[in-house]
Amino acid sequence: SRPSSERHRVRAMGRVFGPGCRKLFCCEMNTIDVPAVCDFINCTAGRLTRLIMPPEINRWSQTSLQVTAADLVSLCRCAPQLEAILAPEVNIDEPKAVAISSMCPGLKEVELGVPSPYGFSETFAHLFTNLVTLNLEEKNVNFIPGPLYLANVSRTLRACQKVKKIDLYFGHLSADMAELIVGAPSAGRLEEIMFGDVDEPTTIIKCIRGLPRLKCVSLTPERSMGPSFYRSLVAAAPATLTQISFENEQIDDESVVAVCALNLTHLRLSGSNRSVIQGIISSPTSSSLRDLLISNCPSFDSGDVLRLVRHCPLLTRLWWFSDPYGEDPPIKNLDPRNAGDLTHLLQSRGARLKEFPRGDGSVNDSGYIYMSRSDDDAELSS
């Protein structure tokens, strides 16, 4: 538990910072701290919009001191304008979910724990009708979706008609699930979908074909689906689809090039070989690409990346890492002259280098991050 002086400090911080606070991140909090945090939130005069309680929040607390669903209700009561509450380790029941949904009717993003084989989206999400994101992940790797699961998903999709993003990264896309998604009231406004495990690759194609405003697709296939699949994807894609993310290394270079037949503005590469560069340069994507993430592509050197950027004149945002998490050693084969030319080229387009290279030509952490000025503005406003 926290000493009383610590709780007094939280209240004092609320008086100073509360009036301007819109996003509150609660870490290492327990049930004894809740009254002080409520006082902090009250200092926002009801204007708090995001409440974040990370998965670690209850991990090191004694069972008797962990943040409970009742505590969460108390916090929400102080923040009627909440648009997001992310507390995946706090388990709630239906009465608490009903209470939170009525106290904070404008909630657009909700992550809460559920003591059930199903996740939040299949149990209580239908109570939050303004949700824009649904996470349909399966809590247990051995879980097999059955009729009751699909019925629950259907109920949620009917109730939450403002959904713009569906996350199936850790879920399963069956033909029945695809039919529910395409037939949902929100299908006409859905902008982003993340695919994970799938029965048949053609199910993804059918799903994409039925979502007329889709902008972003993330693919995490456990097996290579081949260039013909990606050519079919291009043929099925609506004109709005401009963002593709390959989340693992099962995508061969020919498949990446096939997808670049779209006028992509955002592209994420993972595990690609340098042979993909010429394919991108020669594709329609080269004239539209604005945002590129490169991770775990060890065959790429600084000359390759410089060449790619030169042939993508609209590119102002580049993320280049040895691995997706910045944990691997620095990028190899980094020529200081190429790195300097890359920096100068992107800066001439209004971007800035966010992680500066050291004097020996290596880079901080494991990569370069370039961001456009508009990204800076977004960071300041978030």
Side-chain angles (χ1 to χ4, degrees):
S1 65
R2 304 285 191 276
S4 59
S5 59
E6 181 72 10
R7 296 194 290 276
H8 287 312
R9 187 171 73 88
V10 172
R11 290 187 171 99
M13 290 175 64
R15 290 191 290 272
V16 176
F17 300 108
C21 180
R22 299 296 176 266
K23 179 168 66 174
L24 184 60
F25 189 96
C26 300
C27 189
E28 296 185 20
M29 174 183 169
N30 61 46
T31 192
I32 294 176
D33 301 318
V34 170
V37 176
C38 285
D39 288 345
F40 183 105
I41 296 176
N42 281 329
C43 291
T44 70
R47 291 191 291 269
L48 190 72
T49 59
R50 293 183 69 84
L51 178 61
I52 304 170
M53 306 170 76
E56 297 82 7
I57 192 165
N58 278 334
R59 198 158 293 171
W60 297 290
S61 296
Q62 300 175 25
T63 302
S64 60
L65 298 177
Q66 290 185 349
V67 175
T68 66
D71 294 330
L72 199 58
V73 170
S74 297
L75 296 171
C76 291
R77 186 176 290 114
C78 303
Q81 295 185 39
L82 272 182
E83 295 180 1
I85 178 168
L86 310 179
E89 291 294 303
V90 180
N91 285 334
I92 64 166
D93 54 22
E94 185 168 5
K96 299 297 189 300
V98 170
I100 293 172
S101 66
S102 61
M103 291 172 185
C104 308
L107 279 166
K108 298 177 181 178
E109 185 178 3
V110 180
E111 290 184 14
L112 297 172
V114 179
S116 140
Y118 303 138
F120 173 78
S121 291
E122 300 87 57
T123 49
F124 306 136
H126 69 280
L127 299 170
F128 299 83
T129 56
N130 287 311
L131 289 181
V132 297
T133 299
L134 283 181
N135 186 340
L136 297 175
E137 69 176 36
E138 294 164 11
K139 296 176 67 174
N140 189 320
V141 294
N142 297 317
F143 175 74
I144 300 175
L148 181 57
Y149 171 83
L150 292 170
N152 289 343
V153 171
S154 177
R155 177 182 62 178
T156 298
L157 289 171
R158 290 195 308 271
C160 302
Q161 299 187 15
K162 298 180 180 179
V163 169
K164 293 184 177 181
K165 176 182 177 180
I166 290 180
D167 186 349
L168 280 158
Y169 188 93
F170 293 109
H172 179 83
L173 183 70
S174 63
D176 290 336
M177 177 67 82
E179 186 175 340
L180 289 178
I181 293 172
V182 171
S186 61
R189 61 169 55 90
L190 199 68
E191 296 179 354
E192 180 176 356
I193 189 164
M194 301 177 70
F195 293 110
D197 186 30
V198 59
D199 282 344
E200 294 292 338
T202 53
T203 307
I204 293 178
I205 304 300
K206 292 176 182 177
C207 202
I208 289 175
R209 186 178 290 118
L211 303 174
R213 294 190 181 180
L214 197 61
K215 295 180 179 179
C216 179
V217 169
S218 295
L219 297 158
T220 58
E222 297 180 353
R223 61 189 186 278
S224 176
M225 292 187 285
S228 62
F229 164 80
Y230 292 97
R231 284 191 284 270
S232 297
L233 186 152
V234 169
T240 53
L241 183 57
T242 58
Q243 302 180 36
I244 295 284
S245 179
F246 299 114
E247 301 288 342
N248 66 14
E249 299 162 32
Q250 298 297 320
I251 312 296
D252 60 87
D253 292 350
E254 188 179 352
S255 296
V256 173
V257 174
V259 167
C260 288
L262 296 169
N263 292 109
L264 298 178
T265 59
H266 295 63
L267 179 64
R268 175 171 180 163
L269 302 175
S270 180
S272 295
N273 297 307
R274 64 192 310 181
S275 60
V276 79
I277 292 174
Q278 182 57 46
I280 296 173
I281 289 173
S282 303
S283 75
T285 285
S286 66
S287 61
S288 57
L289 192 63
R290 297 176 180 271
D291 187 316
L292 174 64
L293 187 148
I294 302 169
S295 65
N296 198 24
C297 297
S299 68
F300 284 28
D301 61 26
S302 54
D304 296 323
V305 176
L306 176 60
R307 177 168 167 252
L308 181 55
V309 172
R310 277 176 173 162
H311 285 84
C312 298
L314 298 183
L315 186 65
T316 58
R317 192 178 190 194
L318 170 68
W319 305 71
W320 180 21
F321 295 105
S322 296
D323 78 311
Y325 308 105
E327 296 174 349
D328 281 357
I331 296 168
K332 299 177 181 179
N333 305 321
L334 185 64
D335 184 298
R337 184 174 59 183
N338 287 338
D341 289 346
L342 183 61
T343 299
H344 178 74
L345 176 59
L346 284 167
Q347 286 177 337
S348 72
R349 299 175 184 175
R352 69 180 178 87
L353 179 63
K354 196 170 184 182
E355 295 193 3
F356 292 90
R358 293 192 282 266
D360 61 1
S362 61
V363 294
N364 296 329
D365 298 321
S366 65
Y368 276 106
I369 303 176
Y370 297 87
M371 299 179 72
S372 66
R373 297 299 178 190
S374 60
D375 293 320
D376 295 338
D377 295 339
E379 280 191 334
L380 292 173
S381 64
S382 64

